[in-house]
Amino acid sequence: MTLEFDLFWSFRSPYSYLATPRLAALQEEYDVKINVRPVYPIAVRIKGFFKQVNPLWPPYLLKDTVRIAEMEGLPYAWPSPDPIVMDIKSGEVPEEQPYISRLTRLGVAAAEKGKGMPFLYEVSRIIFGGVKGWNEGTHLQEAAARAGLDLAELDALIEKDPDHYEKTIAENEAAQKAGGHWGVPLMVFEGEPFFGQDRISHLIWRMEQKGLKKRS
């Protein structure tokens, strides 16, 4: 029996990026289905979040993510441009969010095409992998193609019915909360939440208790 779990994931989360190669490898090695459920980052979901955050957190996050990337052998740099438009000094996040809105909707469209994991893998790699101007030229188009998707087709689907994608994102965020956590990456297996890129081994351990098998 194929096991499955929900993956709540954000295009602005470095930890989501750092977890993705291992999650993709998990799906390739084991008989498991990953239900990709993109959500908006916490900066969008919780108004004023960065006005209240502990000032020690951002510098620690940068040190920690650089360390993990080095350990995992992954290319890593803070995105240019940042998927979130915000005033770094004040923590103000405007309502208009052209980058993250498009990316999150594209993630939903890719998941509905059955290519969620490849799309997350390829797109996050250009966002966090040191590609300056990842939103310009053909970077996104080529990343989508490597995932087996046509970017123009995805954009057309979203333009035709944007409310559908926003509704799905809202449903994903509600399911994330119901799953027991607010952060990403969050894996929820049979109602049990596993939060963070360092909980993948725990997730595998639990699924093995439930009969997880390697692919033949």
Side-chain angles (χ1 to χ4, degrees), residues 5-9 11 23 27 33-39 106-112 114-120 168 172:
F5 64 88
D6 288 346
L7 170 64
F8 300 96
W9 194 100
F11 284 93
L23 289 167
Q27 186 170 246
K33 179 187 177 198
I34 301 178
N35 301 314
V36 171
R37 305 191 70 173
V39 297
L106 284 170
V108 170
E112 291 180 347
K115 299 281 188 178
M117 280 306 301
F119 189 79
L120 300 190
T168 302
N172 290 348

Side-chain angles (χ1 to χ4, degrees), residues 70-172:
E70 183 179 355
M71 186 176 72
E72 296 292 330
L74 295 174
Y76 181 71
W78 194 256
S80 178
D82 192 319
I84 286 287
V85 177
M86 68 178 289
D87 186 309
I88 298 298
K89 290 184 179 180
S90 69
E92 188 69 34
V93 177
E95 291 289 334
E96 190 69 22
Q97 291 291 333
Y99 303 136
I100 199 64
S101 294
R102 183 187 183 201
L103 288 169
T104 309
R105 292 174 182 180
L106 284 170
V108 170
E112 291 180 347
K113 289 279 188 180
K115 299 281 188 178
M117 280 306 301
F119 189 79
L120 300 190
Y121 178 89
E122 295 294 347
V123 172
S124 65
R125 198 170 179 87
I126 65 167
I127 293 173
F128 284 96
V131 177
K132 291 186 178 181
W134 55 265
N135 59 314
E136 300 172 348
T138 59
H139 294 308
L140 278 173
Q141 179 184 347
E142 292 169 0
R146 289 192 296 270
L149 293 162
D150 184 314
L151 183 65
E153 179 186 354
L154 298 182
D155 279 329
L157 287 170
I158 293 165
E159 185 178 359
K160 184 178 179 181
D161 189 4
D163 289 345
H164 163 73
Y165 296 92
E166 286 301 312
K167 180 182 177 183
T168 302
I169 294 166
E171 289 171 350
N172 290 348

Side-chain angles (χ1 to χ4, degrees), residues 14-15 57-68 76-78:
Y15 290 112
W57 182 58
Y60 176 80
L61 179 145
L62 289 174
K63 291 177 182 177
D64 190 42
T65 51
V66 167
R67 173 173 58 207
I68 295 167
Y76 181 71
W78 194 256

Side-chain angles (χ1 to χ4, degrees), residues 1-5 30-32 188-194 201-214:
M1 180 181 68
T2 300
L3 299 182
E4 61 182 90
F5 64 88
Y30 293 94
D31 183 16
V32 65
V188 179
F189 171 66
E190 294 188 349
E192 184 176 4
F194 298 82
S201 60
H202 299 72
L203 170 65
I204 294 172
W205 168 77
R206 176 66 79 209
M207 291 193 297
E208 286 177 337
Q209 293 179 330
K210 300 289 185 173
L212 179 67
K213 302 295 183 184
K214 291 191 175 183

